[in-house]
């Protein structure tokens, strides 16, 4: 069990109806639905304390993020719907009264999150709040629907009457409007210009008589042949015969060395 809050009230402030309701919730409801309501207990000095079987650290609704708040409220409404079905199945007047008094939208100061599950404290205060009588849905809806249909019918009739009145006014205006005055045609005399006199035709020029051309026959002159001139061509000069090259002189014969007598060294 986990303690959620220690109240400033005493446990004696819990009346018999509140204790019977807490006992009925634990008797008829499964744990995941019964955990929606915190259990009252007497603490130190008989102070009222609210406890829950869920584990984890209790977090107040104001300390949650926007996404966590939305999820927690949706779970609270789902648990409340399940509690309503169980009260009908158990045919328990205590649970039926509890479901009828619990708010559909919880008071956020009384809502906590334990292990991401909704837990409501101080729920005993709603048991003594007198709820207004529930108006039947059919009786509340049927008369406005009939009135709306009648109102729509009169609205259409009024619209049709306005359209007919507008068309009648247009027809009367067209039929009674003054006709435009058409002025009588005025004859306008326009002086036509006098026709210009036609120019006198120019006299045709006399034809020019060309003289006759008499052909003249010219006798051809005799062709005189030019005298032939004989041209004597000088004979080509005979090129001189090349002189024979002189024969080279024979090299001088070497003189024989004188013989020397080896004994005396005199020439022999």
């Amino acid at each position: 069990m986990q303690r959620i809050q220690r109240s400033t009230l005493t446990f004696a402030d819990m009346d018999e109806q509140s204790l019977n309701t807490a006992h009925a919730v634990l008797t008829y409801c499964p744990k995941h639905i019964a955990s929606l309501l915190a259990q009252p207990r007497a603490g130190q000095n008989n102070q009222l304390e609210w406890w829950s079987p869920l584990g984890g650290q209790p977090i107040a609704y104001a300390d949650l993020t926007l996404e966590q708040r939305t999820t927690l409220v949706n779970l609270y409404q789902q648990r409340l719907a399940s509690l309503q079905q169980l009260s009908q199945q158990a045919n328990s007047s205590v649970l039926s009264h509890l479901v009828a008094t619990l708010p559909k939208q919880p008071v956020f100061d009384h809502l906590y999150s334990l292990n991401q599950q909704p837990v409501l404290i101080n729920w005993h205060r709603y048991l003594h709040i007198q709820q207004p009588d529930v108006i039947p849905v059919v009786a509340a809806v049927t008369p406005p629907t009939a009135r709306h249909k009648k109102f729509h019918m009169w609205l259409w009739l009024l619209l049709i009457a306005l359209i007919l009145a507008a068309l009648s006014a247009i027809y009367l205006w067209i039929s009674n409007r003054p006709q435009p005055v058409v002025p009588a045609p005025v004859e306008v005399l326009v002086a036509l210009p006098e026709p210009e006199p036609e120019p006198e035709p120019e006299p045709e020029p006399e034809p020019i008589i060309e003289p006759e051309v008499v052909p003249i026959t010219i006798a051809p002159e005799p062709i005189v042949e030019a005298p032939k001139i004989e041209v004597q061509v000088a004979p080509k000069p005979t090129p001189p015969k090349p002189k024979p090259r002189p024969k080279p002189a024979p090299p001088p014969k070497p003189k024989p060395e004188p013989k020397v007598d080896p004994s005396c060294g005199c020439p022999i």
Side-chain angles (χ1 to χ4, degrees):
M1 296 290 287
Q2 178 73 24
R3 186 177 65 183
I4 301 173
Q5 188 190 61
R6 178 178 295 171
S7 177
T8 56
L9 302 176
T10 62
F11 190 75
D13 294 332
M14 294 289 293
D15 57 355
E16 184 178 0
Q17 183 181 6
S18 301
L19 296 176
N20 291 337
T21 302
H23 179 71
V25 170
L26 294 176
T27 302
Y28 295 105
C29 299
K31 292 182 179 180
H32 70 281
I33 297 177
S35 63
L36 177 63
L37 302 179
Q39 295 297 318
R41 283 191 177 185
Q44 189 177 5
N45 298 328
N46 203 28
Q47 279 187 311
L48 176 62
E49 295 179 353
W50 295 101
W51 289 71
S52 174
L54 297 175
Q57 183 69 24
I59 304 174
Y61 177 85
D63 297 334
L64 299 175
T65 62
L66 181 60
E67 184 178 358
Q68 291 174 342
R69 292 178 182 180
T70 305
T71 304
L72 192 68
V73 172
N74 291 337
L75 286 175
Y76 169 82
Q77 294 175 351
Q78 291 177 10
R79 298 288 188 273
L80 196 61
S82 300
L83 185 61
Q84 184 177 5
Q85 292 179 359
L86 287 173
S87 65
Q88 294 174 358
Q89 294 175 2
N91 196 15
S92 174
S93 59
V94 177
L95 292 181
S96 299
H97 181 71
L98 175 64
V99 173
T101 54
L102 286 179
K104 302 298 183 292
Q105 190 71 17
V107 178
F108 299 137
D109 293 340
H110 300 166
L111 189 62
Y112 282 80
S113 174
L114 267 78
N115 199 16
Q116 299 179 355
Q117 299 297 320
V119 179
L120 188 67
I121 65 173
N122 296 327
W123 48 264
H124 66 289
R125 298 180 180 180
Y126 303 110
L127 300 177
H128 305 287
I129 299 176
Q130 185 177 1
Q131 298 295 327
D133 296 335
V134 180
I135 301 174
V137 177
V138 178
V141 174
T142 304
T145 305
R147 287 197 300 269
H148 288 169
K149 289 183 178 180
K150 186 177 294 185
F151 174 75
H152 290 165
M153 182 182 65
W154 283 108
L155 183 62
W156 280 109
L157 291 177
L158 179 61
L159 183 61
I160 294 172
L162 290 176
I163 294 174
L164 292 176
L167 293 176
S168 301
I170 294 173
Y171 174 76
L172 292 175
W173 177 77
I174 293 175
S175 59
N176 296 330
R177 66 175 180 175
Q179 299 295 330
V181 178
V182 180
V186 179
E187 294 182 359
V188 179
L189 299 178
V190 179
L192 298 176
E194 295 181 359
E196 295 181 359
E198 296 181 357
E200 296 180 359
E202 296 180 358
E204 296 181 357
E206 296 180 358
I208 299 172
I209 300 173
E210 297 180 356
E212 294 182 358
V213 178
V214 179
I216 300 174
T217 304
I218 300 174
E221 294 181 359
I223 299 172
V224 179
E225 295 182 357
K228 294 182 180 181
I229 301 173
E230 295 181 357
V231 178
Q232 294 181 358
V233 181
K236 293 181 179 180
T238 304
K241 295 182 179 181
K243 294 179 180 183
R245 292 182 180 182
K247 296 181 179 181
K253 296 181 178 181
K255 293 178 178 183
E257 293 182 1
K259 297 181 180 180
V260 181
D261 188 4
S263 61
C264 62
C266 299
I268 300 176

